[in-house]
Amino acid sequence: MNMDSIQVSFTGGKRIQAKVGDYTIETDQPLKYGGEASAPAPFDLFLASLATCAGIYAWNFCESRKLSTEGMDLRMDCVNDEKKKMIVKVIFRLTLPDGFPEKYRSGIVRAMELCAVKRHMMDTPEFSFDLV
């Protein structure tokens, strides 16, 4: 079994960094939660990973078929349940390029549904917390 690691550093205040390969991702909390709002909150990055993952699957679908991506746009909206404080529905709104072939409309949706982030949400991994 392969294991990927992300190293997390506490950099002051509510700011936390994650080292992912050669990249450093900055996070902070919003002002209302005691942060400085100097970077996206961790949950915002989670949502962004879902949206960008669906986006790259749509883009790859077009690229593999030599279809134009000019004017293609993706918006992800989240419907929240205020009682549960949870997202209950995620809506992807893909604006297709002008002249996008009708025969590929359902295919690009199926491609976006293959997004690895979404699949991990649907088939959740086991979580373990070890203290060292």
Side-chain angles (χ1 to χ4, degrees):
M1 188 174 296
N2 188 16
M3 184 171 6
D4 294 323
S5 295
I6 295 175
Q7 182 62 46
V8 171
S9 301
F10 303 91
T11 58
K14 304 274 181 156
R15 292 183 310 276
I16 297 179
Q17 290 180 342
K19 183 84 169 152
V20 182
D22 292 335
Y23 301 99
T24 299
I25 299 171
E26 305 277 342
T27 70
D28 196 358
Q29 291 294 306
L31 296 172
K32 69 181 181 179
Y33 296 121
E36 298 173 9
S38 65
F43 194 74
D44 296 333
L45 292 178
F46 165 71
L47 293 176
S49 72
L50 183 57
T52 57
C53 185
I56 195 63
Y57 275 76
W59 190 87
N60 285 340
F61 180 90
C62 291
E63 182 187 48
S64 70
R65 289 159 183 79
K66 308 281 191 264
L67 300 172
S68 173
T69 57
E70 188 171 334
M72 189 164 74
D73 184 65
L74 178 62
R75 175 187 174 117
M76 186 180 86
D77 294 313
C78 300
V79 178
N80 296 293
D81 180 325
E82 291 303 315
K83 236 181 201 177
K84 292 182 182 178
K85 302 282 188 215
M86 297 283 289
I87 293 172
V88 294
K89 185 173 185 177
V90 178
I91 304 163
F92 295 94
R93 290 177 167 49
L94 182 65
T95 302
L96 296 170
D98 287 339
F100 189 85
E102 184 69 32
K103 69 180 183 177
Y104 290 127
R105 292 174 73 91
S106 62
I108 198 167
V109 169
R110 282 193 308 275
M112 291 171 55
E113 289 174 339
L114 294 174
C115 159
V117 177
K118 175 191 167 285
R119 287 185 320 172
H120 275 79
M121 290 177 63
M122 302 304 291
D123 188 9
T124 57
E126 175 185 334
F127 290 88
S128 172
F129 296 89
D130 297 332
L131 301 177
V132 186

